[in-house]
Amino acid sequence: MADLWPLIFVPKEINYIWFGPTFNRFERLPIQDCLKKNPDHIVRVWVDDFSMLEMYGPHGLCSILSPSTFGAYEDGLGKAIKASEMAQTFEMLLNAQMEYQSYIDTHDVPPGFAPTVKTFRDYFAYKHLPIELRLLSSRFYKVELTALERGTPGPEIELLKWIFLERYRGNYGAASNLLRVQLLISWPGIYLDHDDVAPVFGQLAGFRYTRSADHNTTNCFLANPPNHPFLPFFRGLLIHAYKSLAERNFSCGQQEQQQNNYIHNNYTQLQMPTHPDDLDHPYITETQLLSGPLAFASALRQFCQQCPDMETGIRKGWTRNIGVKARLVKTWALSEEGFERFCGDVMGHIARPRPLPPSNLDANANLQWGDE
């Protein structure tokens, strides 16, 4: 099994994701710092232009979507969704996305005409930032939905449905959790949260992830080489988790410590907490469990349990060599010593990864990124 997945390079492409109509919440300084530290990397910001559209107005959803689609879209906002309604809801959300793309193709409007998209463009131009602004509707969703139009949908379409559902209910964090998985499958490279400070990446190889300051596994930074098996595996678990939740009519809950009883919530009706630091709020905890860091950590454990050769070394590697501290991404440098200590670069190679040839190592390969 040790030779099934040879260690391969991660493309030098850094991807950020942004959902929603508000530009002011997008952290600009970290991405500028990332550009300075990694001038040899392509940097992209993928914006979900559909989520930036207004409901009404000359270029609002009411003018873009067909009356039947807009009526169903408007009527379902903020309401609980039942399992028996999922097929109808998915059809409405897919129709809304495809009608929006058709509107762009057939009307005299520029792609990304939403005001927030224009703000992104103007800001990058004003700062002279060499950043590729990619519209998800025309550059990603359109390609993924081609399989649906051809009648050959795969798991990417199943995941896309749940992305659209999370976007519809306004849980942009969950939508981003799901999207980054499919994005790195389709576009191998690096994903980074917009508010995290990047190190000098150099030439990464194998699958990489991070740990938080309190040593918890997190998905705020992911590096995925081409054809790596983990993210497709994780995608399957995500789809299964959402389907299981729908079968329970989206019933979720948490254990109260004092009363020792179980509180049931409807996942589709959970609202964002008014205070951003309320990390115990069901909206936060259920998102983390279903699609966020807790789901990601669980997927890593399950994947490694299916790979006996990684059983002894991989968990030590998680703890010692990858972490995030004070919003600073830390990962193990590409040195032979680093590979030896890592004992198996999380699915990048089973058991013991091969060290890269010295000519392929970064000049700072003997340093651990993120040291203070």
Side-chain angles (χ1 to χ4, degrees), residues 97-118:
Q97 182 65 46
M98 290 189 286
E99 287 177 14
Y100 168 58
Q101 292 173 187
S102 177
Y103 178 85
I104 294 175
D105 294 338
T106 58
H107 288 69
D108 187 22
V109 294
F113 58 85
T116 305
V117 177
K118 186 177 184 302

Side-chain angles (χ1 to χ4, degrees), residues 207-342:
F207 185 88
R208 299 290 178 119
Y209 68 103
T210 56
R211 294 177 68 86
S212 63
D214 53 359
H215 305 293
N216 290 321
T217 300
T218 177
N219 61 343
C220 69
F221 162 82
L222 301 173
N224 187 53
N227 302 315
H228 200 281
F230 172 67
L231 288 184
F233 175 84
F234 184 28
R235 177 179 61 188
L237 293 182
L238 288 170
I239 293 171
H240 175 74
Y242 271 89
K243 286 184 175 179
S244 298
L245 180 65
E247 290 172 357
R248 303 194 304 269
N249 272 326
F250 294 98
S251 176
C252 61
Q254 57 183 356
Q255 191 81 22
E256 274 196 340
Q257 295 180 356
Q258 295 180 352
Q259 288 80 11
N260 198 31
N261 56 0
Y262 202 70
I263 301 175
H264 288 277
N265 299 297
N266 185 296
Y267 180 79
T268 63
Q269 285 193 306
L270 293 176
Q271 299 294 320
M272 183 180 297
T274 55
H275 199 286
D277 293 332
D278 187 5
L279 301 182
D280 293 326
H281 192 281
Y283 181 93
I284 303 295
T285 58
E286 295 298 335
T287 298
Q288 291 181 337
L289 183 63
L290 187 62
S291 64
L294 296 180
F296 178 69
S298 176
L300 285 173
R301 287 192 296 270
Q302 292 183 57
F303 188 91
C304 294
Q305 288 170 0
Q306 297 184 21
C307 304
D309 290 341
M310 298 178 71
E311 190 67 22
T312 57
I314 191 65
R315 290 183 177 84
K316 295 179 182 178
W318 294 354
T319 304
R320 279 205 302 265
N321 301 329
I322 293 185
V324 175
K325 186 176 183 181
R327 289 196 177 279
L328 188 66
V329 174
K330 301 178 72 174
T331 184
W332 195 247
L334 298 182
S335 64
E336 183 173 357
E337 177 187 3
F339 282 133
E340 291 289 343
R341 291 179 61 186
F342 196 54

Side-chain angles (χ1 to χ4, degrees), residues 52-72:
M52 299 173 176
L53 298 173
E54 299 175 349
M55 284 291 291
Y56 307 99
H59 292 304
L61 287 177
C62 66
S63 302
I64 295 173
L65 305 182
S66 65
S68 59
T69 301
F70 178 76

